[in-house]
Amino acid sequence: MTTPTESTATPPGTSSAAPAGGPGARRTWLREHSEIGVGVLLLALGVLVLTDALTMDVEITQRGPVGPKTVPIVVGIGLVVVAVLLTLDVLRGGRGEAEGGEDIDLSEPADWRTVLLLAGVFLGNAVLIGPLGFPISGALLFWGSAYALGSRHLDRDPLIAAGLSLVTYFVFDNLLGVPLPGGPLMGVL
């Protein structure tokens, strides 16, 4: 006599999701190899970086053993190599380990309000950086991000955001030589 668990058990190495070759088998294969998507994303990013680096216009005075193309080319090649190695590892049966120390309850739904607020803050910064300049749009970015992530110190957060934005502007514009738009504060700063 067989018990209910014996009659419904599947042999090792087979899937009970769907017959071989059916749409269910394809879904199962995609679920088991979903990390290939990360490899595809890394490959696309690497190709984009390499394309931009190789088509970069460089003046003759900027040429040398280490020019402006060197780091993007190294990063692009690294991204392509990692993408290929990751994809090969997944196809050979490798799986990423789950995070052990995270305090995330995977049964809870995603917090879409926070995600949408952060996306709005970043898009707003992209739109406002031209007309308002980095000091003002950066302050709005820092304060909006803090608000979206749960900080409700309305007296302290805008001051910290303004300070961070000004320090970032001065470091990039004056110390690193990366020009950022000053906007209406250009004459004041």
Side-chain angles (χ1 to χ4, degrees), residues 37-126:
V38 176
V40 170
L41 179 66
L42 289 174
L43 180 67
L45 192 58
V47 168
L48 177 68
V49 169
L50 282 172
T51 303
D52 282 348
L54 294 174
T55 59
M56 187 184 301
D57 236 2
V58 180
E59 294 180 22
I60 192 73
T61 58
Q62 293 179 337
R63 291 189 183 167
V66 179
K69 291 183 172 186
T70 305
V71 172
I73 288 174
V74 169
V75 169
I77 290 171
L79 285 169
V80 169
V81 168
V82 167
V84 169
L85 292 175
L86 175 66
T87 303
L88 288 174
D89 182 53
V90 171
L91 290 174
R92 290 180 181 164
R95 303 268 317 171
E97 288 187 29
E99 294 283 333
E102 293 287 332
D103 290 335
I104 298 173
D105 185 9
L106 296 176
S107 64
E108 290 292 318
D111 185 8
W112 287 107
R113 179 182 179 273
T114 301
V115 171
L116 292 175
L117 280 173
L118 282 173
V121 166
F122 282 105
L123 288 174
N125 182 55

Side-chain angles (χ1 to χ4, degrees), residues 15-31:
S15 174
S16 63
R26 182 174 171 210
R27 247 184 271 125
T28 302
W29 189 90
L30 287 174
R31 188 177 303 117

Side-chain angles (χ1 to χ4, degrees), residues 113 117 143-157:
R113 179 182 179 273
L117 280 173
W143 177 73
S145 297
Y147 184 84
L149 293 172
S151 179
R152 298 296 184 258
H153 298 282
L154 299 179
D155 53 342
R156 180 186 70 187
D157 289 346

